[in-house]
Amino acid sequence: MSTAYERVMARQRQTQILAGVSGLLGWDQETMMPKGAADQRAEQMGAMEELLHARRSDPALADGLAEAESADLDEVSRANLREIRRQVDHATKVPADLAAELARVTSRAQGVWAAARAADDVAAFTPMLEQIVALKRDEAAALSDGSAYDALLDQFEPGATGADLAAMFGALRPRLVALRDRIFGAEQHPEPLMGTFAEDTQIALARDVAERYGYDFERGRIDKAVHPFSSGSGSDVRITTRTDPADPFNCLYSTIHEVGHGCYEQGVDPAYAFTPLGHGASMGVHESQSRIYENQLGRSRAFTGWLHGRMTDLFGDLGMDADGFFGTVNRLQKGFIRTEADEVQYNLHVLLRFDLERELIDGSLTVAELEGAWNDRFEADFGYRPDRPSQGCLQDVHWSVGLFGYFPTYTLGNVYAGCLNEALRRDVPDLDSALADGDPSPATDWLREKLQRHGSLRTPRETIIHAIGGAPSEEPLLSYLEAKFGEIYGF
Amino acid sequence: MSTAYERVMARQRQTQILAGVSGLLGWDQETMMPKGAADQRAEQMGAMEELLHARRSDPALADGLAEAESADLDEVSRANLREIRRQVDHATKVPADLAAELARVTSRAQGVWAAARAADDVAAFTPMLEQIVALKRDEAAALSDGSAYDALLDQFEPGATGADLAAMFGALRPRLVALRDRIFGAEQHPEPLMGTFAEDTQIALARDVAERYGYDFERGRIDKAVHPFSSGSGSDVRITTRTDPADPFNCLYSTIHEVGHGCYEQGVDPAYAFTPLGHGASMGVHESQSRIYENQLGRSRAFTGWLHGRMTDLFGDLGMDADGFFGTVNRLQKGFIRTEADEVQYNLHVLLRFDLERELIDGSLTVAELEGAWNDRFEADFGYRPDRPSQGCLQDVHWSVGLFGYFPTYTLGNVYAGCLNEALRRDVPDLDSALADGDPSPATDWLREKLQRHGSLRTPRETIIHAIGGAPSEEPLLSYLEAKFGEIYGF
């Protein structure tokens, strides 16, 4: 006789496997799919979504889950049930017609947004965004009696609240603005890298660096995509990158970023395969891995020292020494676009979005007021004003596809990366000598043991606490940034 | 109020879409999947199969189908129900435990067969093949009270019978053997092509030729695979090829072969998308498209004349004139391996397998006797004897994966290609002048109109009858081969 827990898990196993199939459809769409197949693929994705939703909202599962939850279980079993409960609650609480309406509107909205951005026409997107905000508020109300924003945030960062994040981000913002101002006021600035860099060689370097970090090509692959992303879990974790002949850092650091996501998924304990624990704990924890790989490791003085030599071998003289190259890799530039921002300014872009989207969801800001609010806030933090909406409130796809509560996980990931870097450096004091040899694998080994292998066993915050041995805070990130950029810019 | 027919079709639409997802998993497995993901992929394929089987064997579908069949319907609707009936019958007649046992045994058998072939050890594969033959006989008995072989054949070539094919193939065999003997007895033989041919250039040529035939890269793509295949339907039809630096014909003609399959799928009327009519009518009809593209068109004097010029431009002097090149493309060589055989000898390989597999299924040949029977028959048709089983009865994967009744569709496809070529040449008398300009698209236009666009509207044999305007026979193929090879070998 099987127990209720075993029956729930057997059923969940099939759901996880089918969710993996759905993930592969998404990967293929962005990398391999012929252009003309878009409509057919939408049908396939829709059919898989419908199927997964039916499995998660099946009353028989809810009954079995309630029975399983009433038994006395070990930590892993409790964690599995916690994650299944999240899926079941989401699938059953949001009415089917609301979910369908959201899917319909956000699907249309992507095209409307893209056209509005291309035409710099906020008004063309405003009615669409008003609909989406209204639907997301309905969704939040269906999910929870409490804060609407928290209900949305919880889908990406379980357990986090807008209030907690606002407190943490409130401590970040003034010190980031002050650091930014000191940097732009400094007397000396690193030089940009000039030249043309063969794209095949960039890809070869990216593959080499991915392997040095510990990414396993036997269980993964790398392809090109317009917007790099990572995909999959277990023994099939794929990453993507892009190349720009004028900027080899674009390919290299977007690869390292995705390698962080990929190593996390590849590092999860194989015993969790096909269970809800078999993937990263949250968007924030995932971003902590991609960002520590990219920034605290990949943009460190030690690793860029090795990289300077390697790139000189591959591309010829770079026109600077290793010390100058370290500055070049980390140099700040003024700009309007989040995705092009450096380590210091990136979080200022995110905090702006976090504050504005909370106001949109709680109703204290209307969509009609968004552009003005965006530009005012941008000017307050950056000192200059976007001159057109494609440089401002129309730059990101997120809201058009209904992603509210997603942006803050970027900065939370950076904060977590700061905490993890502090603990890593404490536990692996000679890490810099390995990095200087082009070997970041001791960092992957430490992260795998402390964090990656545990998958979703613990809640996101507990995952970080377990890894660093204490409560996370913004202080390590700020100290790290102030020290690093003080050194580069000479203050 | 929807009708029973509409309800069945709405349900079938989702099944077709999910079957397409399953197909993409297969394509990815052979082209993109990281090696280490094989077990995970097997789970995904198994989950999708289980899902599709559950949909097809659902008693509610059988009830709705029976109701729909009782109504007065048009040709397209009747054809849809005919195809759904086939799926339902197969899913419901074969007991679940037999289907599972077949899946389990054939999955294991592939590895056993590969090892046995590598070791030239027939005895290592015999017990496995005995199990498979027994299970296929059980499957046939579950499917039909009639001929066991016909029940298996019907899964690949609906409506065909072993007896009908035996009569047709019986007329082919002596004239093919006689033709083969005259060719090897001829005084002059074409020269082989010598040299090394850059693989990138081979792929570029293959892509160019694919487009010339009418293959649409907006709805398809080409990748490398160990064993070239085509995959998908509707607006996402993908083909694969391979390259050998010493043999540019390998890449080129395997591409043209798959382009034939691909153009068929791309050519089906879009109105049939997501219905049972939205793909090729059978394995035999499919093979008629791949073979007429490859042989009657691609290996014609007219097209090879153009190809000689194109390849000279790309690779430099080929060491022969266009006339010699036509012979080279079509030259016969002695050999043991079906997949390497030319137009004349290929069908002799297939007929051997067809006769032996019928005897295995009807019990008049035991698996223990297979190797001897194979070698005797091979010697009778080819004049020499395989010296080891990897050159003989262990060379093909088909039986190890349970494919009985599949081999004859290859030769049936060649016979159909002969019939179609005769009708095509009658209707498009100036085709050779287009081919001589490197333009086979008038042939695709004719095939699209007469055959491809109709998908599975008609039964396979009716599909051919509709296209050629009469009953198919082996005569056009034989006349074509005798004329062409008589010209090349000078008799």
Side-chain angles (χ1 to χ4, degrees), chain A residues 126-208:
Chain A
T126 296
M128 206 87 231
L129 187 56
E130 281 169 345
Q131 271 191 66
I132 294 171
V133 169
L135 289 167
K136 294 303 285 187
R137 288 164 58 110
D138 291 347
E139 185 191 13
L143 288 167
S144 151
D145 297 332
S147 150
Y149 188 77
D150 289 356
L152 301 176
L153 174 61
D154 191 74
Q155 296 175 61
F156 307 108
E157 199 64 26
T161 68
D164 287 347
L165 292 181
M168 178 186 272
F169 294 173
L172 268 178
R173 186 179 168 206
R175 281 171 67 183
L176 289 175
V177 170
L179 178 58
R180 184 193 175 284
D181 287 346
R182 286 195 75 176
I183 288 169
F184 281 108
E187 291 190 357
Q188 251 187 297
H189 288 260
E191 293 299 312
L193 187 67
M194 307 298 284
T196 303
F197 303 86
E199 288 170 277
D200 284 358
T201 314
Q202 290 189 37
I203 292 284
L205 174 62
R207 291 184 66 94
D208 175 32

Side-chain angles (χ1 to χ4, degrees), chain B residues 141-154:
Chain B
L143 287 169
S144 152
D145 297 332
S147 151
Y149 188 77
D150 288 356
L152 301 177
L153 174 61
D154 191 75

Side-chain angles (χ1 to χ4, degrees), chain A residues 13-14 17-18 20-21 24-25 27-28 31-41 43-48 50-51 55 217-221 223 232-238 274, chain B residues 13-14 17-18 20-21 24-25 27-28 31-41 43-48 50-51 55 217-221 223 232-238 274:
Chain A
R13 181 183 161 84
Q14 290 301 92
I17 290 169
L18 294 169
V21 172
L24 187 78
L25 290 180
W27 172 84
D28 183 83
T31 54
M32 300 291 158
M33 188 185 81
K35 269 188 216 161
D39 290 347
Q40 186 167 326
R41 181 55 46 87
E43 296 282 346
Q44 294 172 334
M45 306 271 271
M48 290 301 294
E50 197 175 299
L51 195 93
R55 293 185 68 87
F217 280 98
E218 286 286 305
R219 296 183 292 145
R221 54 179 288 128
D223 296 279
S233 62
S235 56
D236 194 348
V237 179
R238 308 183 184 189
F274 308 129
Chain B
R13 181 182 161 85
Q14 291 299 94
I17 291 169
L18 293 169
V21 172
L24 186 78
L25 290 179
W27 172 84
D28 183 85
T31 54
M32 300 291 158
M33 188 186 80
K35 268 188 217 163
D39 290 348
Q40 186 167 325
R41 180 56 46 87
E43 296 281 346
Q44 292 172 335
M45 306 270 272
M48 291 301 295
E50 197 175 297
L51 195 93
R55 291 185 70 87
F217 280 98
E218 286 286 305
R219 297 183 291 144
R221 53 179 289 130
D223 296 278
S233 62
S235 57
D236 193 350
V237 179
R238 307 182 184 190
F274 309 129

Side-chain angles (χ1 to χ4, degrees), chain A residues 164-484:
Chain A
D164 287 347
L165 292 181
M168 178 186 272
F169 294 173
L172 268 178
R173 186 179 168 206
R175 281 171 67 183
L176 289 175
V177 170
L179 178 58
R180 184 193 175 284
D181 287 346
R182 286 195 75 176
I183 288 169
F184 281 108
E187 291 190 357
Q188 251 187 297
H189 288 260
E191 293 299 312
L193 187 67
M194 307 298 284
T196 303
F197 303 86
E199 288 170 277
D200 284 358
T201 314
Q202 290 189 37
I203 292 284
L205 174 62
R207 291 184 66 94
D208 175 32
V209 168
E211 284 193 326
R212 288 169 177 273
Y213 270 90
Y215 179 77
D216 179 4
F217 280 98
E218 286 286 305
R219 296 183 292 145
R221 54 179 288 128
I222 185 165
D223 296 279
K224 284 202 191 185
V226 178
H227 302 288
F229 66 99
S230 65
S231 164
S233 62
S235 56
D236 194 348
V237 179
R238 308 183 184 189
I239 61 176
T240 56
T241 191
R242 61 180 163 202
T243 54
D244 174 351
D247 179 10
F249 297 142
N250 193 324
C251 173
L252 183 69
Y253 286 102
S254 69
T255 301
I256 298 178
H257 183 97
E258 300 309 331
V259 161
H261 289 303
C263 281
Y264 189 6
E265 291 296 329
Q266 290 187 335
V268 175
D269 189 336
Y272 297 156
F274 308 129
T275 79
L277 310 190
H279 51 76
S282 70
M283 299 308 301
V285 179
H286 240 297
E287 194 73 3
S288 76
Q289 303 304 288
S290 57
R291 293 298 264 180
I292 192 173
Y293 277 59
E294 178 188 355
N295 291 330
Q296 282 87 355
L297 301 169
R299 290 191 168 95
S300 64
R301 178 180 283 280
F303 187 74
T304 59
W306 171 83
L307 184 64
H308 175 263
R310 190 82 194 93
M311 286 182 63
T312 302
D313 291 346
L314 291 170
F315 299 110
D317 182 28
L318 303 175
M320 58 187 71
D321 63 11
D323 195 56
F325 184 78
F326 173 53
T328 295
V329 166
N330 287 286
R331 69 193 282 268
L332 267 67
Q333 283 184 277
K334 296 195 178 182
F336 297 100
I337 304 297
R338 176 183 58 85
T339 57
E340 297 169 0
D342 50 77
E343 271 186 274
V344 174
Q345 298 182 94
Y346 186 84
N347 292 305
L348 290 173
H349 287 280
V350 173
L351 300 191
L352 177 161
R353 288 153 179 77
F354 170 66
D355 287 336
L356 295 182
E357 73 177 14
R358 277 192 304 149
E359 292 174 26
L360 286 171
I361 294 298
D362 77 17
S364 60
L365 179 72
T366 67
V367 173
E369 297 164 336
L370 177 63
E371 184 181 16
W374 180 295
N375 292 346
D376 291 346
R377 168 66 178 265
F378 190 89
E379 191 168 12
D381 285 356
F382 291 83
Y384 49 92
R385 208 172 168 85
D387 60 352
R388 52 185 193 275
S390 58
Q391 305 269 43
C393 67
L394 288 183
Q395 71 182 264
D396 295 305
V397 71
H398 299 59
W399 292 336
S400 80
V401 291
L403 293 175
F404 283 84
Y406 188 106
F407 277 122
T409 69
Y410 290 130
T411 288
L412 188 60
N414 286 322
V415 167
Y416 286 166
C419 299
L420 289 164
N421 184 53
E422 185 182 58
L424 165 66
R425 296 282 175 168
R426 183 186 65 216
D427 287 359
V428 188
D430 57 347
L431 180 61
D432 271 341
S433 67
L435 290 174
D437 289 338
D439 178 17
S441 69
T444 293
D445 293 343
W446 185 89
L447 288 163
R448 190 145 290 181
E449 174 60 27
K450 294 285 183 180
L451 187 148
Q452 293 172 353
R453 72 187 174 90
H454 302 298
S456 294
L457 176 63
R458 302 182 179 89
T459 63
R461 188 177 155 86
E462 287 296 327
T463 297
I464 297 296
I465 291 173
H466 175 86
I468 65 176
S473 105
E474 69 288 352
E475 188 55 43
L477 175 65
L478 286 166
S479 307
Y480 152 80
L481 290 172
E482 287 161 353
K484 175 174 173 178

